[in-house]
Amino acid sequence: MPHGDAGCAESERHEPLVLESVPEEAGRSCQTALCRRLEKHCSRSPREIKSKVLGFVPILQWLPRYQPRDWLLGDVMSGLIVGILLVPQSIAYSLLAGQDPIYGLYTSFFSSIIYTLLGTSRHISVGIFGVLCLLVGQVVDREVASAGYLTEGGDGLAAVNGSALESCDRSCYAITVAATVTFTAGVYQVLMGIFQVGFVSVYLSDSLLSGFATGASLTILTSQVKYLLGLKIQRPQGWFTLFKTWFSLLANLAHANLCDLITSLVCLLLLVPTKELNNRFKNKLKAPIPFELFVVIIATLASHFGRFNADYGSDVAGEIPTGFLPPRLPAWSLIPAVAVDAFSIALVGFAITVSLSEMFAKKHGYRVDANQEMYAIGFCNILPSFFRCFATSAALTKTLVKESTGCQTQVSGLVSAVVLLLVLLVIAPLFYSLQKCVLAVIIVVNLRGALRKFAEVPRMWRANRVDAAIWLITMATSALVNTELGLLAGVLVSAFCVLGRTQRAQALELGRTQDGDHYEVLSAYRGLRSHPAVAVFRYPAPIYYANRSLFKKSLYRRAGLDPVKEKTRRIKFEKKLKRQNAERESVCKEDGEGAAGVTLALEQKPLRGLVLDCGAVLFVDSAGVDALKEVRKDYGELGVAVVLAQCSPAVLDALRRGGYLPEKRGGDHRLTFFTIADAVHHVQRASAPNADYNGTR
């Protein structure tokens, strides 16, 4: 038997795989699903209700199983060290948020306690985070300026809590704005937890968050230069604040305070190398040495006995009260003005917290609940806002310290809170003479990690250019244009990159292995065999409205046969043939000879069938179904059969609802097949009898 006849006989003997689909549930609808879900939640047993309540307050689950002999020492040590580190950082980052030092201590204290009660991560440290402080500070400066406070510490009147005007200086109004935006951000986070939209964080990729944090770090660095130089200039508002700030700094450089400048240089020379020593010997040290605290103590003593404020005009922290202020409601009238800013703060705070908690949970072999983390960080913002606190989230530096010093559970957070409580009740007033330039130095030194990301750009570019582009665009927009706009730009660029990848997808020709019915990309592997009359293609992307035309162009180009152009060519050929026959008849009549037809041979394309592997097609929308219909129709008019293979149930359902397949389920529609081999055998059987495999590649 000839080789071609053997291939045809093989096709005739081949029986395609047939599977019976499971029928959909009768009466299935969104309303039915919602009713069933409500019924499930409302008909819980007492045991399930107890488990749900304990899940909302995780400390009730893990505290009874606490092992003091194994865990207490590590928790106490890590809690003490983090608490000591929190004191200078809380005072310093208050400056970045536009607040008095006492409010930073309040924020760290309350967030440590609340996360211990509600958080599911054993290792992360929740408290003040530089990027959030920057976002809060920008809102505070904007609202304070719009309320008429033009100078720091100025007196004035402002409406607080939407009531009658009461005396409220700039500091009072600034913390009112910060507490209100923090309350609003916390409400957003709790609502996201209630509606279980923790998946939102997946849209903030690592490259996006890293670029955003680096861009914000440049803005933070720029905002602290005025304190390093001892200049009293207002923080610019709106877009391009980086350029505006540097312009103001250069314009006022002649008014720099020499005392602050010298103090800043001395503190930088002390802190930068000592921080590097801590990093270099972190594996040998049981705990990092708190050089920041030492610098704060020495600088405070030097400023006090050297009378830097009185004699040299150096700006100092000022009076820091002891104890706690009575709780106060947020200013409801300010919520509409800060609602949009609060959403970006809520999103960034949650994304940072979840990414860190999941990273350390995976490292230490336990699980965290993303939605519970949303509740925890939300209440870490809502409840402290009544006590004049500002936005918080997890902080990487302090989390790494907790982990390296033996932290085992959330008890370490309570120990840190005890340290902060001691400072709030007894020690805080001793920091009266602490220069603000020292606090600015602490902030700048802690930006080293984010700024080092610039050195990793070449590596990121080599690893993945798309991720590197997202990082660069997000960083540049956050730093040079606007911080919040940088986050939005990063999300949009990420989305467009995903869309762009579906736009760039190309149809790939597949070949069959020599010893089986497995098909792979013909250009990627050697030894694959193609079919002379049946082409097999794979499209590695969804087929939807945005890429339907690109899908068709790619498929036609790879197949080497554009049905639209082929039909046009045939129409032109027929017209040419008729015209030549008419001319021939005319000549023959003049010569008195009988008409003779002119026969022209139309070059025939060898393609007789086309198989489209849909295994990599994630979904198909109505526009995609129409595109597949057009492909089948266009090729069908040329006598080329088009069949689909390896469609997922979701794609099959979309094809059925879109009219590509009959509504009736089951049976062989001769349009879709479960395997590529079945589809090829079907096309071979239905096309020319001399179908055969050609040589290998």
Side-chain angles (χ1 to χ4, degrees):
M1 179 183 294
H3 191 72
D5 295 339
C8 187
E10 180 186 356
S11 299
E12 292 177 356
R13 291 193 303 269
H14 185 86
E15 292 295 331
L17 176 65
V18 178
L19 297 175
E20 183 179 359
S21 60
V22 178
E24 291 184 359
E25 298 180 14
R28 183 180 178 183
S29 65
C30 293
Q31 184 178 1
T32 305
L34 181 60
C35 291
R36 289 183 178 179
R37 189 164 185 175
L38 289 174
E39 182 181 356
K40 178 183 177 181
H41 284 286
C42 296
S43 60
R44 294 182 181 273
S45 65
R47 185 175 182 179
E48 290 176 329
I49 294 174
K50 179 182 177 182
S51 176
K52 195 72 176 178
V53 172
L54 292 178
F56 184 74
V57 188
I59 192 173
L60 299 178
Q61 291 181 319
W62 60 262
L63 190 59
R65 299 194 298 269
Y66 190 80
Q67 302 174 20
R69 181 175 299 178
D70 300 327
W71 297 343
L72 186 60
L73 180 60
D75 285 340
V76 171
M77 284 295 298
S78 61
L80 284 173
I81 294 167
V82 171
I84 292 171
L85 293 176
L86 278 173
V87 174
Q89 291 186 11
S90 299
I91 297 174
Y93 281 104
S94 300
L95 197 67
L96 183 59
Q99 308 300 324
D100 291 341
I102 188 65
Y103 301 126
L105 295 171
Y106 287 162
T107 301
S108 296
F109 171 75
F110 284 109
S111 60
S112 297
I113 294 177
I114 295 171
Y115 188 81
T116 299
L117 301 176
L118 301 179
T120 57
S121 174
R122 305 173 189 171
H123 293 88
I124 68 169
S125 174
V126 172
I128 292 178
F129 180 54
V131 175
L132 293 188
C133 289
L134 173 67
L135 295 175
V136 171
Q138 290 176 341
V139 179
V140 168
D141 285 350
R142 184 191 69 211
E143 295 302 318
V144 165
S146 65
Y149 296 97
L150 301 179
T151 59
E152 294 188 11
D155 296 329
L157 295 176
V160 179
N161 296 329
S163 61
L165 291 176
E166 62 180 55
S167 179
C168 187
D169 61 9
R170 186 189 187 280
S171 173
C172 167
Y173 193 71
I175 191 56
T176 301
V177 174
T180 303
V181 73
T182 299
F183 173 83
T184 310
V187 170
Y188 282 140
Q189 290 167 333
V190 170
L191 288 176
M192 286 190 282
I194 291 174
F195 292 107
Q196 298 187 348
V197 290
F199 66 88
V200 172
S201 64
V202 303
Y203 296 105
L204 303 178
S205 63
D206 291 340
S207 56
L208 187 154
L209 288 174
S210 175
F212 176 72
T214 304
S217 297
L218 289 176
T219 306
I220 294 172
L221 174 63
T222 301
S223 69
Q224 298 307 299
V225 174
K226 68 176 184 179
Y227 296 108
L228 299 179
L229 300 175
L231 296 175
K232 292 180 171 57
I233 57 176
Q234 294 297 314
R235 182 185 295 181
Q237 299 299 314
W239 291 8
F240 307 107
T241 56
L242 192 80
F243 300 108
K244 295 177 183 177
T245 303
W246 279 107
F247 178 80
S248 298
L249 289 170
L250 295 175
N252 292 275
L253 194 58
H255 303 97
N257 187 297
L258 187 60
C259 178
D260 284 342
L261 179 59
I262 294 174
T263 304
S264 300
L265 291 174
V266 171
C267 291
L268 281 171
L269 291 174
L270 288 174
L271 278 180
V272 171
T274 52
K275 281 277 194 178
E276 291 299 326
L277 286 174
N278 263 342
N279 287 335
R280 178 167 295 185
F281 298 104
K282 61 183 178 181
N283 294 326
K284 298 181 180 180
L285 295 172
K286 292 184 178 180
I289 303 172
F291 289 110
E292 291 174 344
L293 184 62
F294 298 156
V295 168
V296 165
I297 294 173
I298 295 171
T300 303
L301 293 173
S303 175
H304 176 73
F305 291 106
R307 296 173 54 85
F308 290 170
N309 176 246
D311 295 345
Y312 303 104
S314 181
D315 201 6
V316 296
E319 183 179 356
I320 304 178
T322 57
F324 295 91
L325 299 173
R328 187 175 68 185
L329 293 174
W332 309 117
S333 60
L334 284 174
I335 290 180
V338 301
V340 176
D341 305 281
F343 183 76
S344 61
I345 291 172
L347 200 59
V348 173
F350 166 70
I352 295 294
T353 302
V354 170
S355 60
L356 284 179
S357 60
E358 289 181 345
M359 179 177 70
F360 284 92
K362 182 179 180 180
K363 182 177 180 180
H364 292 276
Y366 63 92
R367 296 180 61 185
V368 293
D369 185 347
N371 282 308
Q372 181 59 33
E373 289 296 297
M374 188 85 84
Y375 289 130
I377 201 66
F379 283 109
C380 281
N381 286 324
I382 291 176
L383 298 179
S385 68
F386 298 112
F387 296 91
R388 299 170 178 82
C389 300
F390 47 90
T392 58
S393 72
L396 177 61
T397 305
K398 293 183 283 293
T399 300
L400 290 172
V401 171
K402 283 184 69 172
E403 182 202 29
S404 63
T405 51
C407 173
Q408 299 293 328
T409 67
Q410 294 92 316
V411 168
S412 62
L414 291 178
V415 178
S416 299
V418 171
V419 175
L420 292 168
L421 181 63
L422 179 64
V423 174
L424 284 167
L425 295 179
V426 180
I427 304 175
L430 300 179
F431 295 110
Y432 176 92
S433 299
L434 177 61
Q435 293 167 272
K436 288 186 177 181
C437 63
V438 177
L439 301 178
V441 168
I442 293 174
I443 293 173
V444 170
V445 170
N446 282 307
L447 297 176
R448 291 172 306 120
L451 297 177
R452 282 194 182 119
K453 292 291 183 180
F454 285 105
E456 299 180 12
V457 173
R459 182 191 59 80
M460 287 192 292
W461 185 261
R462 291 191 298 268
N464 191 308
R465 293 188 177 183
V466 174
D467 287 342
I470 293 173
W471 189 93
L472 288 170
I473 293 172
T474 307
M475 181 276 300
T477 310
S478 300
L480 304 179
V481 184
N482 180 271
T483 309
E484 293 87 348
L485 187 64
L487 182 63
L488 178 61
V491 173
L492 292 178
V493 170
S494 299
F496 281 126
C497 286
V498 173
L499 292 176
R501 290 175 181 179
T502 65
Q503 300 283 311
R504 294 174 57 191
Q506 299 292 324
L508 305 172
E509 187 176 1
L510 304 185
R512 177 185 174 185
T513 57
Q514 298 182 15
D515 56 351
D517 288 337
H518 184 72
Y519 287 78
E520 266 305 335
V521 180
L522 200 59
S523 61
Y525 301 96
R526 300 181 184 275
L528 299 178
R529 297 187 293 175
S530 60
H531 302 278
V534 181
V536 183
F537 295 98
R538 173 183 297 158
Y539 192 68
I543 305 174
Y544 66 114
Y545 70 93
N547 69 348
R548 56 174 294 181
S549 60
L550 297 171
F551 157 70
K552 292 170 60 179
K553 289 179 182 178
S554 173
L555 182 63
Y556 294 165
R557 184 172 62 254
R558 291 288 185 181
L561 176 61
D562 188 328
V564 178
K565 293 181 179 179
E566 182 66 18
K567 283 189 291 184
T568 304
R569 191 171 71 93
R570 292 189 179 189
I571 292 172
K572 289 181 179 180
F573 177 82
E574 291 175 359
K575 289 181 179 180
K576 182 178 180 181
L577 181 61
K578 288 180 181 179
R579 186 172 61 254
Q580 290 184 353
N581 283 334
E583 292 175 354
R584 180 67 175 174
E585 289 176 2
S586 164
V587 172
C588 290
K589 285 180 180 179
E590 292 177 358
D591 296 342
E593 299 178 359
V598 178
T599 303
L600 297 177
L602 178 66
E603 181 185 356
Q604 297 292 327
K605 299 293 182 180
L607 188 62
R608 290 290 178 268
L610 189 147
V611 177
L612 183 60
D613 174 20
C614 296
V617 177
L618 182 61
F619 67 87
V620 178
D621 68 356
S622 57
V625 174
D626 290 340
L628 290 172
K629 287 180 182 178
E630 293 169 6
V631 169
R632 187 178 68 184
K633 176 178 176 294
D634 292 343
Y635 274 120
E637 292 176 352
L638 301 180
V640 179
V642 177
V643 296
L644 309 181
Q646 300 192 140
C647 298
S648 67
V651 171
L652 286 174
D653 188 54
L655 294 174
R656 190 173 293 109
R657 285 186 282 107
Y660 188 90
L661 299 177
E663 284 293 335
K664 183 179 179 181
R665 291 175 174 271
D668 182 11
H669 304 305
R670 306 299 183 186
L671 297 176
T672 61
F673 295 86
F674 288 105
T675 67
I676 300 176
D678 290 344
V680 171
H681 285 300
H682 167 74
V683 174
Q684 285 179 331
R685 202 163 49 233
S687 61
N690 60 345
D692 188 17
Y693 298 111
N694 66 1
T696 62
R697 287 188 56 166

